[in-house]
Amino acid sequence: AGLFHDMMIERLAELSQVTTARLSTLVGKPNDAMRRNLSMPPERQAAGVVRQPKQPSLVWMAAAMLVQHPELGEKVVNLQFLEDLDRPGISLFRQLVETIKTMSSCNTAALVEQFRDTENESNVARLATWSHPVLSQDVGAEFLGVLNQMRRAAIKTKVENLLQKQKIYGLTDLEMGELAHLTRIQAENAQSAH
């Protein structure tokens, strides 16, 4: 992982015209302790000595796909569904989509440069070098799949919020119509999943 990591940093530095030293501080080095732990026997890992790396969130995966393949930003036609999705990183995802849409020609290096000297600089740099098996597959199809999962999660959250509000305060006619519409969508999604 060390050589690959160094090569990715060098390539990203070349593309973004940022020094490798600066990128290394933003992205960080692979954790030696983690590398040692991954080589532990499975029985020690199972004993709780080592925590398995957690599955990346949908938002992180979508953001990584956008940073590494900015052309995917064209596939996001409506960001409104994100308003009801309260997840870490959703603000950055929205910023990435909006930034990509405003740039005439966008690539990973230009995107990293666009976020230089912002609060998300290190996150965008990490996303640019992040590696996951999904990113080596049909990224376009995977991205649409992740967006659909995010939409379903947003609908579920909205339905739960409306049901909670209905129990406590009741709903307006408009909210009742929205709840009926969203539950229909959920039912259709459940049927198409089978």
Side-chain angles (χ1 to χ4, degrees):
L3 178 62
F4 181 72
H5 180 267
D6 293 344
M7 289 171 51
M8 289 292 292
I9 293 292
E10 288 174 16
R11 179 70 175 135
L12 184 58
E14 176 184 313
L15 291 171
S16 64
Q17 298 178 347
V18 176
T19 66
T20 54
R22 175 88 169 122
L23 278 176
S24 291
T25 59
L26 292 172
V27 176
K29 296 254 185 225
N31 186 336
D32 288 334
M34 177 64 117
R35 237 186 263 122
R36 279 192 307 273
N37 288 339
L38 290 176
S39 64
M40 277 187 192
E43 55 272 22
R44 282 193 60 202
Q45 290 181 14
V49 176
V50 175
R51 291 185 183 192
Q52 294 295 322
K54 69 179 185 174
Q55 180 72 12
S57 74
L58 289 176
V59 177
W60 180 265
M61 293 205 24
M65 288 183 220
L66 268 180
V67 171
Q68 294 179 24
H69 302 276
E71 68 278 5
L72 294 173
E74 296 171 11
K75 296 182 184 266
V76 183
V77 291
N78 183 356
L79 287 173
Q80 189 169 1
F81 77 93
L82 296 176
E83 290 176 11
D84 296 315
L85 194 60
D86 185 25
R87 301 249 173 112
I90 205 70
S91 165
L92 174 59
F93 179 77
R94 180 185 285 276
Q95 284 180 316
L96 286 167
V97 171
E98 290 169 352
T99 300
I100 289 168
K101 288 186 181 278
T102 61
M103 296 175 76
S104 58
S105 64
C106 187
N107 59 38
T108 301
L111 203 50
V112 169
E113 180 62 27
Q114 192 71 24
F115 281 86
R116 186 192 300 208
D117 298 327
T118 69
E119 65 181 332
N120 287 312
E121 178 181 18
S122 65
N123 288 328
V124 173
R126 283 183 22 229
L127 288 165
T129 60
W130 185 66
S131 178
H132 190 273
V134 166
L135 298 173
S136 64
Q137 298 171 10
D138 181 0
V139 179
E142 291 293 334
F143 184 71
L144 290 176
V146 168
L147 281 182
N148 284 332
Q149 288 180 49
M150 289 168 62
R151 272 191 197 92
R152 283 194 295 275
I155 289 170
K156 180 181 177 194
T157 300
K158 184 69 172 178
V159 166
E160 289 171 354
N161 290 343
L162 286 170
L163 290 173
Q164 186 66 27
K165 183 178 180 187
Q166 183 180 33
K167 286 180 187 176
I168 298 172
Y169 306 108
L171 297 176
T172 66
D173 290 341
L174 183 63
E175 290 169 329
M176 288 295 287
E178 183 180 16
L179 180 59
H181 174 71
L182 293 173
T183 52
R184 248 190 325 274
I185 292 172
Q186 279 185 318
E188 290 168 6
N189 287 341
Q191 279 183 337
S192 67
H194 294 294

